[in-house]
Amino acid sequence: MLKDTLKDKIKEYILKKKIFLDLKIDRSFNVDFLAQGEYNINFIIDDEKTKYVFRVNTGSQLELTNQISYEYNAIKALEISGVTPKVYFVDDTKEFFDYGILIMEFLEGRPLEYDKDLAKAAKIFAKIHSIDINTIGDCFIIEENICSDRILEGKRLLKNYLESPIVNKELKNFFYNFLNWAEKNRNREKYFIKNKWHVINNTEVNSHNFIIGDRSSYLIDWEKPVISDPCQDITQFLAPTTTLWKANYILTKEEKDNFFKTYIKSLDGGDKNIRERVHLYSPYLYLRALSWCAYAWLEYQKPDKNIKNMDTFRKIEQYLNIDFMKSLLKGYM
C-alpha cells in the first residue's frame, strides 16, 4: 500500500536532508502512520521527547499545482490566531517523493464531540474569523461569489457522474433539478456582495479536524482555506452532512442557538447577521457536499485509486440516498 511505501522512505528522507537537526530530534526517531484523508496521508515523527506530523499530499481539491505550498503558507498566516498548528518545513519539489510534503506541529487532544464542545468550537471560529485579512498578504484564494462558485464547483464535480452509465437515472435527475434550482436562485448571492464580510474559512470543518485538548483546542487540516464570507465555515459546521460524517450526530435547535450566541459574543469585530447568512447559503453548501459525494463515489469505482477508505465510502453512499438528499433541501426546493 502507498502508506507503507511512504513510511519506509520518510526516515531516509529526513536523515538524508538532515531535517532532524532543524527539528531538534534524535536521529533514532520513529515514523508511524497517523491517519489519511482523501487527498493526504499523515505520519508521526517521534523521538520519545518530541512529536511532529509529516504530511504527504496526494491530490488537490482546489486543483492547484502547488497544493502543499498553498497549505504551508496558509498555516503560517494563521499562526497568529493561536488555535491552529504551527508549520516548520515544506518541500514541493517532488524530487525525493512523488508528492509534496510538509512537517508541522503535533497537537495532543481528541476529536470534537458535538454534545460537549460546541462552545469551544464557536470560540475557535471566532478567533480565526477575527483575524484582520489585510495583514496576511495574498496567500489565500478569495471567493467573492459564493453561490456562483458552488454552482461551478457542482457542475465540475458532477460532470462525469451525470454522464456515467453506472449511475441510476433517479440520482441523475435529482442532481439535474438541484443544479437548475441553484441557477434560478443565484440572486441570493447579491446579499453577500452588498453586505461584504470576509474572513479566513477552513472549508473542511468536520469534528475530526478539531483537536480538543485539556488546556487548548485547535482547528487543523488547512488543505483548502479561502477568504470569503464566514457563513461558509459556520454553515458547514452546523449542517447534518458534517455532523453525521464522523460523529453520526444531528444538532438540535437549542444547540445551534447556543453556538451562535457564543460565536457572536467572541467575535472581535462584532456580528454582521451570521444567522441570515447561514440560512441563505445552506442549499449551496449542500450542493457542494452532495456533489463531492457523487464525484468521490465515482472515483471509488476506479481500481487504481491511491487512497481507499471504506468508512468514507459507506458514508458517501448513505448521503447519496435520494430520501436523505431530499430531506436536506426541504423548505428550499
Side-chain angles (χ1 to χ4, degrees):
M1 294 179 68
L2 179 58
K3 67 179 183 181
D4 298 320
T5 302
L6 289 170
K7 179 181 174 181
D8 293 339
K9 294 184 69 176
I10 288 170
K11 186 158 190 173
E12 178 188 353
Y13 173 79
I14 291 173
L15 291 173
K16 182 178 180 180
K17 297 286 186 179
K18 297 184 178 179
I19 299 168
F20 69 95
L21 296 175
D22 294 327
L23 298 178
K24 295 181 173 58
I25 57 173
D26 192 271
R27 63 181 300 138
S28 62
F29 64 89
N30 296 312
V31 178
D32 293 298
F33 172 73
L34 176 60
Q36 69 182 38
E38 292 302 302
Y39 303 92
N40 58 77
I41 307 176
N42 300 293
F43 300 84
I44 292 178
I45 306 167
D46 181 10
D47 70 352
E48 298 185 355
K49 293 175 289 186
T50 309
K51 290 183 181 180
Y52 295 93
V53 174
F54 190 102
R55 186 170 176 86
V56 181
N57 168 245
T58 60
S60 175
Q61 296 185 69
L62 295 173
E63 297 189 314
L64 298 173
T65 55
N66 63 334
Q67 172 62 46
I68 203 68
S69 294
Y70 182 80
E71 186 172 351
Y72 174 87
N73 291 332
I75 298 173
K76 269 294 182 189
L78 284 156
E79 286 182 5
I80 192 174
S81 71
V83 292
T84 58
K86 294 181 174 65
V87 68
Y88 302 105
F89 180 84
V90 65
D91 183 352
D92 62 359
T93 63
K94 301 180 182 178
E95 292 176 355
F96 190 91
F97 298 97
D98 294 330
Y99 311 97
I101 65 98
L102 64 76
I103 300 173
M104 60 184 174
E105 180 180 17
F106 177 85
L107 298 168
E108 296 284 356
R110 57 170 174 80
L112 177 141
E113 297 177 30
Y114 291 105
D115 60 338
K116 298 177 181 177
D117 303 319
L118 285 180
K120 291 179 180 178
K123 291 175 183 177
I124 288 172
F125 281 123
K127 285 185 178 181
I128 293 167
H129 293 173
S130 294
I131 293 174
D132 182 355
I133 61 172
N134 295 312
T135 66
I136 58 174
D138 58 355
C139 61
F140 293 92
I141 291 170
I142 299 173
E143 287 193 346
E144 298 276 3
N145 306 304
I146 59 175
C147 297
S148 296
D149 287 341
R150 294 295 79 77
I151 293 169
L152 290 172
E153 189 175 32
K155 287 180 177 178
R156 175 177 60 81
L157 290 168
L158 288 167
K159 183 179 185 299
N160 292 335
Y161 184 84
L162 293 174
E163 295 173 354
S164 173
I166 65 174
V167 177
N168 76 56
K169 187 176 180 180
E170 185 179 23
L171 288 170
K172 288 184 179 181
N173 286 339
F174 171 86
F175 280 109
Y176 280 126
N177 291 335
F178 194 179
L179 285 170
N180 286 335
W181 180 93
E183 288 276 12
K184 289 177 182 177
N185 290 273
R186 71 161 72 219
N187 60 350
R188 289 167 171 254
E189 190 167 81
K190 292 179 181 178
Y191 175 89
F192 301 105
I193 296 171
K194 185 178 179 180
N195 303 280
K196 184 175 176 179
W197 180 12
H198 273 187
V199 303
I200 303 168
N201 286 266
N202 174 278
T203 74
E204 293 191 299
V205 290
N206 68 69
S207 59
H208 278 57
N209 283 351
F210 288 84
I211 299 292
I212 307 299
D214 293 335
R215 296 183 179 179
S216 301
S217 297
Y218 307 88
L219 179 56
I220 63 169
D221 201 352
W222 290 89
E223 192 175 318
K224 57 188 192 81
V226 298
I227 297 288
S228 189
D229 195 283
C231 71
Q232 281 217 47
D233 270 357
I234 303 304
T235 305
Q236 183 174 0
F237 179 75
L238 300 174
T241 45
T242 303
T243 62
L244 288 169
W245 187 256
K246 297 286 187 180
N248 203 31
Y249 195 91
I250 295 181
L251 296 168
T252 66
K253 183 180 183 302
E254 182 181 6
E255 286 174 319
K256 290 181 181 180
D257 285 342
N258 289 335
F259 172 88
F260 278 122
K261 289 174 184 176
T262 304
Y263 171 76
I264 291 167
K265 183 179 179 181
S266 304
L267 279 169
D268 283 351
D271 179 33
K272 300 179 182 67
N273 208 3
I274 187 62
R275 292 173 187 262
E276 177 65 12
R277 292 170 186 270
V278 167
H279 174 73
L280 289 170
Y281 181 66
S282 287
Y284 290 88
L285 179 278
Y286 293 135
L287 178 60
R288 160 181 266 177
L290 297 178
S291 297
W292 180 85
C293 285
Y295 165 82
W297 183 87
L298 202 59
E299 287 291 299
Y300 266 78
Q301 311 310 307
K302 297 178 180 178
D304 59 344
K305 180 174 169 57
N306 278 335
I307 298 176
K308 288 194 174 183
N309 184 318
M310 294 316 295
D311 287 338
T312 297
F313 182 67
R314 282 189 286 270
K315 190 62 70 172
I316 287 168
E317 292 205 308
Q318 176 188 337
Y319 283 16
L320 292 176
N321 176 278
I322 196 75
D323 292 330
F324 175 76
M325 293 194 292
K326 287 180 177 178
S327 72
L328 293 175
L329 297 170
K330 187 177 180 180
Y332 292 105
M333 285 178 62

